Every structure is written in C-alpha cells, then in structure tokens.
Amino acid sequence: MSQSVTATSATESLSLSELTALLQQIFERHGTSRAVAQVLADNCARAQRDGSYSHGVFRIPGYLASLASNWVDGQAIPKVEDVASGFIRVDAANGFAQPALAAARELLIEKARSAGIAVLAIRNSHHFAALWPDVEPFAEEGLVALSVVNSMTCVVPHGAQKPLFGTNPIAFAAPREGASPIVFDLATSAIAHGDVQIAARKGHLLPAGMGVDKQGEPTEDPKAILDGGALLPFGGHKGSALSMMVELLAAALTGGNFSFEFDWKKHPGAQTPWTGQLLIVIDPSKSGGNSFAQRSAELVRQMHAVGLERMPGDRRFIERAKSLEAGIPLGVEELAKLRALAE
Amino acid sequence: MSQSVTATSATESLSLSELTALLQQIFERHGTSRAVAQVLADNCARAQRDGSYSHGVFRIPGYLASLASNWVDGQAIPKVEDVASGFIRVDAANGFAQPALAAARELLIEKARSAGIAVLAIRNSHHFAALWPDVEPFAEEGLVALSVVNSMTCVVPHGAQKPLFGTNPIAFAAPREGASPIVFDLATSAIAHGDVQIAARKGHLLPAGMGVDKQGEPTEDPKAILDGGALLPFGGHKGSALSMMVELLAAALTGGNFSFEFDWKKHPGAQTPWTGQLLIVIDPSKSGGNSFAQRSAELVRQMHAVGLERMPGDRRFIERAKSLEAGIPLGVEELAKLRALAE
C-alpha cells in the first residue's frame, strides 16, 4: 500500500488482493454469502484495476442498494442443469449472474473441449458488471468465448419511438500467441449506461447521436438521458438488429426476462437488471489449419501493419500492467467510504 | 410466365422454379457440376425473388468470370469431417461455400438437436452470395442460427489507414411462432460491396461515412470507392471490432484464409473471395422457460408496440409474397442475356 498526492486529488494505491478483500468484506457485510462476495469482489476489483471505471468501485452503491431492497438475492445458490453434451442451463435463482457462471464454469470448459462447442444459458440472473471479465478467462485457457447479456429498457430500437432494449453488450475473447488475448466488450447502445452516469456526475456533455430526452428529442446532456430520456443503438439499424439478437439469445434462449419485462417498483433502490445471459465457448483446437493462437497473432500483426495503433482491450491491458506495478489508485475519500462500508 | 410493360422498362415474370432452372442451366453450361449448379441457382434465385438485388442475378457475371478464370472449382466435392459431438469441419476444396454447407447440413442439424449446439467450420471456400439464405432454413426447422463469412480486403479497420478486413457479414435467424422467422444479414462494413457496385452502375451518390477514395479521403462517390478506395466499418470502433471477430471466426477458426491472404492476380476475372465460413446452430428446445418461438413472437409484438414499423427482413418477406403471387420480374434485356448464357 502506498500513498501519493497530486495537485488535484490525493490517492492511495491498493494491490489487487487488498482491493478484492475490501470489496468482499463490503459484500458480505451487506448480506451476500461468502461465495457470492468472492465472485463479485473479484469481478469488480479487476474492472477497477483495468481502468474500467464505469464498472469498478463506482458500482458498489448500486450493488448495495439492490441488495438492501431485497430485489436481488445475495445468498442465492445457482442450480446447474446438464442438459446435453453441449448445453448447460443455470437457474441463478434470483442471484447474480457471475456466481451462476462460476458454478458452471468447469463443466462448460469440459463440454467445450469434448463437444468442440458448448453453450451456457443462465436465467433468472442479475448482471451489473462489465462483460469482458466473463469471457477473458476462457481465452486464457485457449478457448474462444462469446457472451451476451440483456439489461433494462433504455434503448430505442432503430425506427421506433420509445425505448425497449437494454444496453445489451456483446463480449468476445480469443487466445493470441505470445500476447494478451484479443478481448472486446461493446454495448450495442451508442454509449454504455455507466458512461452516461459518469458523464452526468462530472457535468460533461456527450457526443451527438448517443441519446434522446424524455420528449424523444436528440440531446447531448447525460442528465436529460437519465431523466426519462433514452439511449440510441450504435450504428443505426445494424446495431439495433444486434441488440434485438442479444434479447433473443440472453432472454428467449435462456428462459430469462426480456429487458422490458421485470418490474422492480416494489423494491425502491433496486438497480440490477433481472434478465439472462448466454455464453458460447468454442475449442479452436478442433479446427482445421494452423494453431488458432498463431493465426490470431497474425491478424493482429496485419492490423498494426495497416496503421492500427491500439487494439480493442489494449487500454485495459496497459492499465492492468500499471496497477500491477504501482497498485490500484483510489481517491482517499472514495477509499474511506469503501472502508466505512466494510465495517 | 407473364409479361408486363411499364412506362420505363419491359419486364417478364418467372416463377421461382423457372428462374432456378434457368440459372442452374447457366452454371452447368459454364463448368460447374450439376450438384453445385443446383445449390448456387437455388441461392441466387431466392435472393432475386426476395428483392435482394445486389445478390441476385446481378451476381451471375461475377460467378461466370470466376469460373472461367479457374480461380474457383465449380466441380469441387466438399469433404465433411465429423470432429466431435458439436463440431463439423468441411474442406470446400476450393469450391463454393454453399455446396459445402449443403453437404454437412443434415449432420449439423442432427448434432445441434442432440448436443444442443453445433458449429460448422467451412474452409477453403468461396462465398459470393447473401448470407441470410444460409441461416433462414435453420429457423424454419425451429433452430437458431448464426453465421459469419469473411471476404476480401476492402474495409479500413477503425483507427487504421489502409483496408484489411472484408465486408464480413453477420447473419442471424430465429424461429417465431405464427409468422416468418426473424432474420437479419448485415455487412460489418458501413455498406455492402454489392450496393456500392449497384450505386456506381446507376450513377447514384452514397451517404456520407460509407467509404474513402484511393488517397484515404472520405468520398460519397461509389466509383471512387471501387477505383482503389475502400469502405469503412459501420458504427466506428464497434463495427470494426465485430469485423475483426468475423475474421477470427470465419478464417482463424476454420482454417480458411483471412480476407487479405489470398492472391488472385494469376486469375484475371476472379471475383469470388477464397476464405472460410462459420455457422453456429442452437436448439432452443433445450432452453429453460417457455417456447422460444412464443418468446420471440412476444419480442416482436413489443417492438411494434414502441413504434417499430418494419422488422429487419420484412422487406424481403414482402417481396417474396409479391413474387409468389405475380412471379419474379426481370427486365426483358436482362432475361435475354441470361437465356443466351444458358445456351
């Protein structure tokens, strides 16, 4: 643990394990089981470590408000159902999605390696985190992983007048020889909801084309989007089609709720969307030709050769390396608040 | 067969089977086996029937030029390899991708139904058609299908200076109760290459943001894009990430070529990209909760309830119904050319 003071703010740096332990204590203190606390703390601390601030400790108040409202069950024990040689279902039992994934993870890997491809269909689950932490570990084991999760109504389908879809991200991870895996995690909305919240908090305007106000008129004000407005899909009708696909895969195919189906009115403070999540994992050692990881490394080399400076995910890997070196910096006030929550 | 004359052009209408038979004769006459001719003719005629003009009879000269150049083998016999309970590989043997899919189709459906999910990895294949005809038939059998195919260098990765990716489409199909399946087929380029060719032929300008000229400067002139220029990905860095994913899935995971790897210089006239294609088919009857087709119908109802007038694919289904009623209209000159090619 080290301290530093800059002109604008004092920070204190924690190691990943220190931050994880602190967050775990917070989750347990606010009603989750130890197992759930471990999974959520690990996820949230890794986001903070990698500079994914919209899904780091910024999310803790939302988690705790949802737990306090009894909207999500922090003690839930996921039920894993082994349905077929390539198909696993998990009923997350109104708990978080990540413990459901953790419960099925070994079986999912085993099936992907034996069947060549396997799907994990999680329903009845709450996902309040970034999606890349769910796929990246598979790439580290030499597997290719794709995941989608739907969320809560805040995106207007292209050509419609009112919001219906969630921000509905798509995350993908693939191994790469001699380097970090190729990983991306993209909201199918023009901007992630967490980034709108952060811009609103900082008083920044957004670029044009991100959202509409409560009258359905285009706005660059993040507060107008949050105050009864809505987001737009990225890339017009194409992003909208992908967002629809995410609803179908993450909800219709899992047995979970669509983003517009759950009603949390009786749980003031609830913030975690109660939907579903789908993961598809493929074993590239089953494919023809050269090693997948060699081929993906070749693709990245060629992308750099045509002038690409930064791969998707590179910023996170750079932040991760910095955090490993110097610790994860947190504002002293923010850290004091976290410590108070852990008591 | 019926004839009609409008103010601007005379057309003659063919039934689907008449057009398919004519196209089949053309393919056979130009060196394909009967089996390959049947598959390509069926694919091309269905595109024309559905108003997918950029992938209908418009493509015939490109097919024939490629066959004449000995770049693609119209007699190729695909080799199907049953690799695992959920994984099939096909070596298309330098033939077209569609006959490779046709050769593995029954096994793919059988595996999807028994394993819950299955993947078909086609390599060493040429794909010169729309992608929706490859996925839609699975939805008609109650299955969910996703396919990606890479093509040929013509898209500049977001943040790079020169083209590298292909137009790299993603197609998706899902069953829907009481209605046509939900189907979309979207190029991850801002515009499909076929649409640029059609705009160039008609002398139309393109909307801004679709492509760059040979100096890398933005242009709205389709001819400048075709004359040494390039396309941009749709949706900025997000569409670019998806295009990269298509390269990884369709080439690295199949053992096929990346869009930038093949060299057809020794085959003047060659137009068919020599790459790979991936299909993932999922059996939604394995999922928890209500019937998938009921759930997807509910999603579409809600999309219409928020003001959506047209679903992706609706235009094709409308054109299809018209063609079923009145035949597939073709310009009399175009038809005369096709008939001459069949002789």
Side-chain angles (χ1 to χ4, degrees), chain A:
Chain A
M1 219 176 280
S2 67
Q3 295 201 5
S4 69
V5 180
T6 70
T8 52
S9 65
T11 65
E12 183 176 332
S13 291
L14 271 61
S15 70
L16 180 64
S17 61
E18 285 167 341
L19 179 58
T20 307
L22 175 60
L23 298 181
Q24 185 179 330
Q25 219 174 324
I26 294 172
F27 282 116
E28 281 192 74
R29 172 71 187 74
H30 289 80
T32 79
S33 66
R34 171 150 302 182
V36 168
Q38 280 171 340
V39 171
L40 295 183
D42 173 69
N43 176 295
C44 186
R46 284 195 290 142
Q48 187 73 23
R49 173 197 64 183
D50 289 8
S52 273
Y53 299 123
S54 60
H55 292 91
V57 300
F58 170 74
R59 291 266 162 174
I60 293 293
Y63 275 114
L64 302 191
S66 277
L67 285 162
S69 75
N70 288 316
W71 167 243
V72 57
D73 181 359
Q75 308 270 342
I77 296 170
K79 294 176 203 73
V80 178
E81 301 162 88
D82 184 343
V83 184
S85 69
F87 206 117
I88 308 167
R89 285 197 299 245
V90 188
D91 179 353
N94 198 34
F96 290 101
Q98 292 83 1
L101 167 55
R105 191 172 180 276
E106 288 311 312
L107 183 60
L108 181 58
I109 290 176
E110 188 188 309
K111 282 185 184 291
R113 291 204 201 282
S114 73
I117 186 168
V119 59
L120 176 62
I122 301 172
R123 68 185 183 279
N124 209 357
S125 54
H126 297 250
H127 203 291
F128 196 58
L131 198 54
W132 61 261
D134 295 352
V135 292
E136 190 179 285
F138 293 100
E140 283 160 358
E141 305 226 19
L143 301 166
V144 173
L146 184 68
S147 185
V148 292
V149 62
N150 62 324
S151 53
M152 60 185 180
T153 294
C154 63
V155 172
V156 184
H158 184 81
Q161 272 76 51
K162 292 179 196 165
L164 185 74
F165 299 150
T167 53
N168 297 5
I170 300 173
F172 175 79
R176 175 163 58 130
E177 194 179 60
S180 307
I182 298 175
V183 184
F184 67 76
D185 173 2
L186 56 89
T188 53
S189 51
I191 185 169
H193 212 261
D195 290 327
V196 179
Q197 291 171 280
I198 285 187
R201 205 169 62 164
K202 291 187 172 173
H204 294 170
L205 286 185
L206 300 172
M210 303 287 114
V212 294
D213 62 20
K214 62 181 151 194
Q215 278 82 35
E217 297 298 320
T219 181
E220 297 175 19
D221 178 1
K223 285 173 189 156
I225 291 174
L226 296 174
D227 179 25
L231 305 176
L232 294 173
F234 92 99
H237 73 277
K238 294 185 181 186
S240 191
L242 292 168
S243 187
M244 174 187 72
M245 180 185 77
V246 173
E247 293 288 343
L248 290 169
L249 294 177
L253 195 60
T254 64
N257 288 317
F258 288 124
S259 295
F260 53 83
E261 283 184 321
F262 55 86
D263 180 2
W264 51 21
K265 280 197 209 80
K266 290 180 184 160
H267 299 266
Q271 295 189 33
T272 57
W274 181 39
T275 58
Q277 180 182 6
L278 195 84
L279 284 105
I280 294 173
V281 179
I282 307 176
D283 180 1
S285 75
K286 298 285 190 292
S287 48
N290 289 329
S291 133
F292 180 91
Q294 285 172 11
R295 295 284 289 150
S296 65
E298 168 65 6
L299 178 64
V300 175
R301 261 192 302 278
Q302 295 298 332
M303 289 171 71
H304 287 309
V306 294
L308 188 84
E309 290 184 2
R310 214 172 64 183
M311 283 284 292
D314 269 4
R315 196 182 58 82
R316 290 194 299 99
F317 290 118
I318 291 165
E319 291 297 318
R320 185 181 303 180
K322 277 193 215 162
S323 298
L324 197 68
E325 181 78 23
I328 304 165
L330 289 154
V332 290
E333 279 182 33
E334 187 163 43
L335 193 52
K337 279 185 200 163
L338 291 174
R339 284 179 175 141
L341 289 171
E343 274 166 17

Side-chain angles (χ1 to χ4, degrees), chain B residues 46-315:
Chain B
R46 286 195 289 142
Q48 187 73 22
R49 174 198 63 185
D50 289 9
S52 272
Y53 299 124
S54 60
H55 292 90
V57 300
F58 171 73
R59 291 268 163 173
I60 293 293
Y63 275 113
L64 303 190
S66 278
L67 284 163
S69 76
N70 287 317
W71 167 245
V72 57
D73 181 359
Q75 308 270 341
I77 296 170
K79 294 176 203 71
V80 177
E81 301 162 87
D82 184 343
V83 184
S85 69
F87 205 117
I88 308 167
R89 285 198 299 245
V90 188
D91 179 353
N94 198 34
F96 289 102
Q98 292 83 2
L101 167 55
R105 190 171 181 276
E106 288 310 311
L107 183 60
L108 180 58
I109 290 177
E110 187 188 310
K111 282 183 184 291
R113 292 204 200 282
S114 72
I117 186 169
V119 60
L120 176 63
I122 301 172
R123 68 185 184 280
N124 208 359
S125 53
H126 296 250
H127 203 293
F128 196 58
L131 198 53
W132 60 262
D134 296 351
V135 292
E136 191 179 285
F138 293 100
E140 283 160 359
E141 306 226 16
L143 301 166
V144 173
L146 184 68
S147 185
V148 291
V149 62
N150 61 325
S151 54
M152 59 185 181
T153 295
C154 62
V155 172
V156 184
H158 184 81
Q161 272 76 53
K162 292 179 197 166
L164 185 73
F165 299 150
T167 53
N168 296 4
I170 299 173
F172 175 80
R176 175 163 57 128
E177 196 180 58
S180 307
I182 299 175
V183 183
F184 67 77
D185 173 2
L186 56 90
T188 54
S189 51
I191 185 169
H193 211 262
D195 290 328
V196 179
Q197 291 171 279
I198 285 188
R201 208 169 59 163
K202 292 188 172 173
H204 293 169
L205 285 184
L206 300 173
M210 303 287 114
V212 293
D213 63 19
K214 62 182 151 194
Q215 278 82 37
E217 297 299 321
T219 181
E220 297 174 19
D221 178 1
K223 286 174 189 155
I225 291 174
L226 297 173
D227 178 26
L231 304 176
L232 294 172
F234 92 98
H237 74 277
K238 294 185 182 186
S240 191
L242 292 169
S243 187
M244 174 187 72
M245 179 184 78
V246 173
E247 294 287 344
L248 290 169
L249 294 177
L253 196 61
T254 64
N257 288 317
F258 288 124
S259 294
F260 52 84
E261 283 184 322
F262 55 85
D263 180 1
W264 52 21
K265 279 197 211 81
K266 290 179 186 161
H267 299 266
Q271 294 190 34
T272 57
W274 181 39
T275 58
Q277 180 182 5
L278 195 84
L279 284 106
I280 294 172
V281 178
I282 307 176
D283 180 2
S285 74
K286 298 285 191 292
S287 48
N290 289 330
S291 134
F292 179 91
Q294 286 172 11
R295 296 285 288 149
S296 65
E298 167 65 6
L299 178 64
V300 175
R301 262 193 301 278
Q302 296 297 332
M303 288 171 73
H304 287 309
V306 295
L308 188 84
E309 290 184 3
R310 212 171 66 181
M311 284 284 291
D314 268 4
R315 194 181 60 81

